[in-house]
Amino acid sequence: MSVLDKRSADQRHPRPEQGPGAPPEAEAADSTAGPAKSASESSRSRRRGLPLALNAVSVALGIAIWWALASAGFKLPTPPEVVDRASTLISDGTLADDALASLTRVLIGFALGTAVAVPVGFLMGWYGILRGLIEPWIQFFRTIPPLAIIPLAVVAMGIDETPKIFVIFLAAFLACVISTFQGVVNVDRTLINAARVLGAGDATIFVRVVVPASTPFILVGMRVGLGSAWATLVAAELIAAQQGLGYRMQNAQLYYDLPTIFVGLISIGILGLLMDRVLLLAERRLTRWQERR
């Protein structure tokens, strides 16, 4: 660029002056940028703190209602009784062993169910022939509760860990495969057509368009599948288990040991909630492009 061109460009787009001779408008903008930024940060922190405060209030209110029902004569243990039993089970290591055994079964079954459900859901949604072949069986097994598969699983697989994990796997798989399938089917056709116009092939469209658009559905299916896996755990541990939260609760039922049953229920709820929060965090990280309320 010549000197004349530079001079004319500077005249068309004058550079902002800096230093002590800067115009008052620039100084005013600089002076207001700091307070505006701090106000935005404080507003964001308030929005983050409000849900936590509401969660704490909800938990305290739930415990108060529970305590009131127990004091009113309902056959429920009081919170101090449950805390005392939990302390005993923690001190002798029983609760840790049971939680580890149940968590291992749920994680293995859930991981296997999700690993199989995602590709099967993609195949069903992307290829019409495979959808016609697979979907009737998926819908058929969805109407059968996983708990009803337990007798068949025991006969076919024995009484070791395999049938327990299989039942949990089936519960997670059926929940996740439908969500993945719906995610692929609901991809906006405009996006696919636009990608084809730009010269993208099927593989590129699948990787760059279908997979990102289906990710929210997959993660929702994983969360539902995780809940199904924990819901199936107690019944799965009926199969000759020697450890596990479900086993401990069923054993306590024989002796009308309500505090131990409550400890098992609360432990399952806490573990399931923590795992769900991890999936929710992953969903927010992987779907930042999605508008949220």
Side-chain angles (χ1 to χ4, degrees):
M1 180 183 291
S2 66
V3 176
L4 293 176
D5 292 336
K6 280 188 175 181
R7 186 174 301 170
S8 62
D10 291 340
Q11 290 176 355
R12 289 195 302 269
H13 305 287
R15 297 177 183 176
E17 297 182 5
Q18 297 178 355
E25 292 82 359
E27 295 179 358
D30 292 338
S31 63
T32 57
K37 185 177 181 181
S38 61
S40 175
E41 291 177 353
S42 62
S43 176
R44 189 180 299 112
S45 63
R46 284 196 300 268
R47 287 198 302 267
R48 291 177 180 175
L50 181 59
L52 295 178
L54 292 176
N55 293 155
V57 171
S58 176
V59 171
L61 183 61
I63 293 175
I65 294 174
W66 167 22
W67 204 331
L69 291 175
S71 302
F74 287 87
K75 292 184 178 180
L76 298 173
T78 61
E81 294 175 346
V82 175
V83 171
D84 182 65
R85 182 55 53 86
S87 301
T88 302
L89 294 176
I90 292 173
S91 61
D92 60 14
T94 301
L95 185 59
D97 293 340
D98 289 338
L100 180 60
S102 295
L103 188 60
T104 301
R105 291 169 184 139
V106 169
L107 285 176
I108 294 175
F110 172 71
L112 292 176
T114 303
V116 176
V118 171
V120 170
F122 275 130
L123 291 174
M124 288 173 56
W126 191 248
Y127 298 104
I129 295 177
L130 293 178
R131 182 189 312 174
L133 293 174
I134 299 174
E135 188 177 12
W137 291 103
I138 298 295
Q139 299 299 337
F140 172 77
F141 281 104
R142 281 186 65 221
T143 61
I144 301 175
L147 306 183
I149 307 295
I150 289 179
L152 177 62
V154 172
V155 173
M157 303 177 185
I159 58 174
D160 57 358
E161 291 296 308
T162 304
K164 304 178 185 65
I165 294 175
F166 173 76
V167 174
I168 296 173
F169 155 82
L170 190 61
F173 169 79
L174 293 174
C176 189
V177 69
I178 295 298
S179 295
T180 305
F181 165 69
Q182 289 297 328
V184 177
V185 171
N186 290 334
V187 174
D188 191 352
R189 297 295 304 180
T190 304
L191 299 176
I192 297 177
N193 294 332
R196 292 192 189 280
V197 169
L198 295 173
D202 285 346
T204 303
I205 293 174
F206 184 80
V207 174
R208 302 295 296 273
V209 177
V210 176
V211 173
S214 304
T215 299
F217 290 86
I218 295 172
L219 292 170
V220 170
M222 291 176 66
R223 294 179 64 189
V224 176
L226 179 63
S228 300
W230 278 107
T232 311
L233 171 71
V234 176
E237 289 182 342
L238 279 169
I239 309 172
Q242 298 299 321
Q243 280 184 332
L245 296 171
Y247 161 77
R248 192 66 53 191
M249 292 167 59
Q250 294 165 28
N251 192 46
Q253 177 189 3
L254 301 175
Y255 303 98
Y256 296 94
D257 188 357
L258 292 180
T260 299
I261 294 176
F262 266 68
V263 170
L265 289 173
I266 294 172
S267 300
I268 290 175
I270 291 175
L271 291 174
L273 179 62
L274 292 177
M275 293 177 67
D276 182 76
R277 295 300 100 176
V278 171
L279 288 177
L280 184 60
L281 179 62
E283 179 184 356
R284 290 176 177 172
R285 293 289 179 87
L286 294 175
T287 60
R288 291 179 178 177
W289 49 267
Q290 191 179 27
E291 294 184 1
R292 300 182 184 277
R293 294 181 59 183

